[in-house]
Amino acid sequence: MKITSANFLTSSPDLERCPESELQEFAFIGRSNVGKSSLINLLAGRKDLAKVSSTPGATRLINFFVMNQGWMLVDLPGYGYAKVKKDSRQQFQRAVSDYLAQREQLSCVFVLVDSRLTPQAIDLDFCDWLAVGGIPFVLIFTKTDKSKAGKVKANVEKFLEALSERVEGEPRYFMSSTKTGKGRGEILDFVDQVLKA
Ligand SMILES: Nc1nc2c(ncn2[C@@H]2O[C@H](COP(=O)(O)OP(=O)(O)O)[C@@H](O)[C@H]2O)c(=O)[nH]1
Ligand SMILES: [Mg+2]
């Protein structure tokens, strides 16, 4: 799929204030600093669509972008950022879980995982939560240019193995690098397939 337009629509603090729209939504989520904003910019082919933030946890709203006037890219707040005050943390966690569990337009969640790391409980727990809720998700292992290919492969395998102990079936997964553009074509083609299904 070629991206011909990518436009910011709105930011919503909670599910109730998400936009009325009939477009299918593809949501992106992961730990702060996993490379979510960079990946969204790569997919959109824009340098500054999602702000590549140097202050992790700063983005606490659900951000909606209309792609090709035909689908919605949804940028969800990063999880697992401990320095946010407890009240506001609970507030945005509820917004995200409400959105994921109840948003009817949601077609698929892209869970971003840092390919440099061995399996992290927070990512596994989140995938487990999605699976239990019957929320469709796929994985994107990010920053693959930052480690040797062998290490990336080992981390991916370990993650899938750890996940298989908790979740039935192996999720589809992609590898990405915003430095080389790796993954862009495959991820957009996947979105295209879901839209056409
Ligand atoms: N080398 C490399 N750096 C990346 C990649 N993706 C993100 N980064 C860097 O990782 C940091 C966090 O990225 P950002 O997109 O802001 O992460 P976010 O907090 O998940 O939105 C930034 O310094 C990015 O430049 C990647 O694929 N390769
Ligand atoms: Mg960001």
Side-chain angles (χ1 to χ4, degrees), residues 5-9 23 64-73:
S5 64
N7 297 301
F8 173 71
L9 178 66
L23 298 179
F64 292 84
F65 301 92
V66 181
M67 311 298 282
N68 290 358
Q69 298 177 346
W71 59 281
M72 202 85 82
L73 188 159

Side-chain angles (χ1 to χ4, degrees), residues 58-192:
T59 336
R60 289 179 220 159
L61 300 165
I62 302 175
N63 295 305
F64 292 84
F65 301 92
V66 181
M67 311 298 282
N68 290 358
Q69 298 177 346
W71 59 281
M72 202 85 82
L73 188 159
V74 181
D75 183 3
L76 294 173
Y79 54 73
Y81 185 60
K83 281 184 194 160
V84 178
K85 275 208 309 241
K86 201 165 174 236
D87 283 356
S88 70
R89 186 162 79 224
Q90 282 170 347
Q91 170 56 31
F92 78 75
Q93 283 181 351
R94 194 183 62 83
V96 171
S97 58
D98 283 354
Y99 169 86
L100 291 168
Q102 296 176 50
R103 182 74 166 167
E104 284 179 9
Q105 295 90 327
L106 179 62
S107 289
C108 187
V109 182
F110 289 97
V111 180
L112 276 58
V113 177
D114 192 328
S115 70
R116 296 175 298 178
L117 308 177
T118 52
Q120 304 288 301
I122 190 163
D123 296 320
L124 293 165
D125 288 347
F126 183 69
C127 291
D128 199 348
W129 183 83
L130 289 173
V132 167
I135 301 163
F137 71 96
V138 299
L139 302 168
I140 301 179
F141 293 95
T142 63
K143 305 191 187 184
T144 56
D145 61 277
K146 283 208 164 195
S147 326
K148 290 196 172 130
K151 189 175 174 213
V152 170
K153 190 165 176 275
N155 285 341
V156 169
E157 278 168 8
K158 277 184 225 158
F159 190 90
L160 294 172
E161 195 189 318
L163 192 60
S164 74
E165 285 165 18
R166 307 167 55 157
V167 167
E168 239 179 272
E170 189 175 284
R172 178 135 185 203
Y173 68 90
F174 301 93
M175 314 253 218
S176 73
S177 163
T178 56
K179 208 173 168 191
T180 67
K182 183 183 172 73
R184 182 176 192 267
E186 289 100 318
I187 294 164
L188 290 176
D189 283 348
F190 172 78
V191 170
D192 207 22

Side-chain angles (χ1 to χ4, degrees), residues 35-42 49-53 59 75 112:
K36 182 168 55 80
S37 298
S38 307
L39 181 70
I40 289 171
N41 290 337
L42 175 75
L49 192 65
K51 282 196 190 111
V52 178
S53 171
T59 336
D75 183 3
L112 276 58

